[in-house]
């Protein structure tokens, strides 16, 4: 079996931690593209795609978003497995006909997520698990035919539609990333302090269990490999 090739569509505005975190947790050959700078793969010759988080909104007017939406839409049409995280989750929902809207508030910090159904992506996790969250947009309507896979009292936190998977939370965050991102938020000092207080060693270790979804995603990708077209026909 060849090493899986994964295109990371990195929309993090040159946040070095994003590429580092995904490269560490995704046990595959990861090729990162700075999509917020207009960089997109010039081929679909990948085994899978991951769309990262971002400070942008999918309904925003940034000039790089329409080409990204078009590229991802084509990847989905070609039956490439795609995983979206936070902004990526919202982008996939939007591409597939769902609805993304501002929340009017902010969810941030280590929060409990409830697993819904028997999602292969989350199958190794307990019914309720801990993960770091940071977002002020949310998926308010799932795409047609999509299956809800995770939620909490704030938002939809996961869905699946065919080969497409989305998670609103950040399984890739380590302690340093969670602390830095929290300090950078334009939120009241009391709220920032409360979130930082929750970034404990216990919570960091517990939330690391959610990283298993990357292995689950790659196992799913491998299961499709025998049915996938050759690289020549995908290029």
């Amino acid at each position: 079996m060849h090493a899986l090739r994964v295109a990371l569509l990195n929309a993090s505005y040159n946040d070095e931690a994003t590429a580092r975190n995904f490269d560490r947790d995704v046990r595959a050959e990861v090729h990162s593209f700075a999509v917020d700078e207009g960089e997109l793969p010039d081929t679909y010759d990948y085994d899978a795609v991951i769309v990262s988080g971002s400070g942008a909104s999918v309904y925003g007017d940034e000039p790089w978003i329409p080409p990204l939406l078009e590229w991802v839409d084509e990847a989905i049409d070609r039956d490439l497995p795609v995983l979206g995280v936070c902004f990526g989750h919202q982008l996939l929902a939007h591409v597939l006909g769902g609805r993304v809207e501002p929340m009017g508030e902010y969810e941030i910090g280590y929060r409990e997520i409830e697993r819904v159904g028997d999602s292969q992506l989350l199958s190794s996790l307990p019914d309720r698990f801990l993960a770091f969250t940071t977002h002020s947009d949310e998926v308010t309507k799932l795409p047609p035919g999509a299956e809800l896979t995770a939620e909490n009292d704030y938002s939809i936190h996961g869905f699946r539609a065919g080969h497409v998977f989305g998670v609103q939370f950040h399984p890739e965050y380590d302690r340093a990333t969670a602390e830095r991102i929290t300090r950078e938020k334009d939120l009241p000092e009391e709220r920032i302090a409360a979130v930082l207080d929750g970034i404990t060693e216990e919570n960091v270790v517990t939330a690391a269990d959610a990283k298993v979804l990357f292995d689950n995603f790659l196992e799913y990708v491998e299961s499709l490999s025998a049915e996938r077209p050759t690289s020549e026909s995908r290029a």
Side-chain angles (χ1 to χ4, degrees):
M1 177 73 187
H2 70 283
L4 295 175
R5 300 178 71 247
V6 176
L8 172 62
L9 306 185
N10 187 345
S12 68
Y13 292 107
N14 202 31
D15 184 346
E16 294 181 0
T18 298
R20 182 187 70 238
N21 289 343
F22 280 105
D23 193 54
R24 178 195 63 221
D25 292 337
V26 179
R27 300 176 191 182
E29 184 182 308
V30 178
H31 299 257
S32 184
F33 299 88
V35 295
D36 51 85
E37 298 177 4
E39 186 179 341
L40 285 166
D42 58 7
T43 177
Y44 290 90
D45 187 18
Y46 293 93
D47 296 292
V49 179
I50 296 176
V51 188
S52 80
S54 179
S57 295
V58 297
Y59 50 78
D61 58 1
E62 287 84 349
W64 55 269
I65 290 181
L68 173 60
L69 293 170
E70 183 178 350
W71 194 95
V72 170
D73 189 35
E74 177 66 18
I76 294 171
D77 283 347
R78 290 171 178 250
D79 286 333
L80 278 176
V82 186
L83 170 64
V85 174
C86 197
F87 167 83
H89 157 84
Q90 298 162 12
L91 181 136
L92 293 175
H94 178 76
V95 166
L96 292 170
R99 183 181 303 131
V100 178
E101 297 178 295
M103 297 167 61
E105 57 182 325
Y106 220 105
E107 180 180 20
I108 183 170
Y110 284 107
R111 300 268 304 158
E112 190 174 78
I113 313 294
E114 181 177 356
R115 187 163 60 86
V116 179
D118 297 318
S119 167
Q120 181 173 347
L121 191 72
L122 307 177
S123 61
S124 306
L125 293 170
D127 291 343
R128 293 180 181 273
F129 61 93
L130 195 70
F132 196 84
T133 67
T134 170
H135 64 115
S136 57
D137 290 340
E138 64 177 330
V139 175
T140 56
K141 182 180 179 182
L142 289 174
E147 170 192 3
L148 176 69
T149 59
E151 63 184 354
N152 70 3
D153 54 340
Y154 270 90
S155 299
I156 291 170
H157 268 272
F159 77 91
R160 177 183 178 179
H163 302 318
V164 175
F165 302 83
V167 292
Q168 179 62 69
F169 54 92
H170 282 275
E172 82 283 9
Y173 272 20
D174 53 23
R175 182 170 193 159
T177 305
E179 289 178 340
R180 178 178 57 80
I181 291 295
T182 299
R183 291 191 175 100
E184 291 174 352
K185 295 301 179 184
D186 184 18
L187 292 169
E189 291 183 7
E190 297 81 2
R191 181 90 185 272
I192 297 294
V195 174
L196 290 172
D197 285 345
I199 304 177
T200 64
E201 185 64 21
E202 179 182 3
N203 283 342
V204 171
V205 170
T206 301
D209 290 345
K211 295 179 186 293
V212 73
L213 71 83
F214 293 121
D215 291 339
N216 292 343
F217 178 64
L218 293 179
E219 287 178 9
Y220 178 78
V221 173
E222 286 183 335
S223 74
L224 298 176
S225 62
E227 305 170 15
R228 297 197 56 73
T230 62
S231 60
E232 288 79 13
S233 63
R234 283 193 283 150

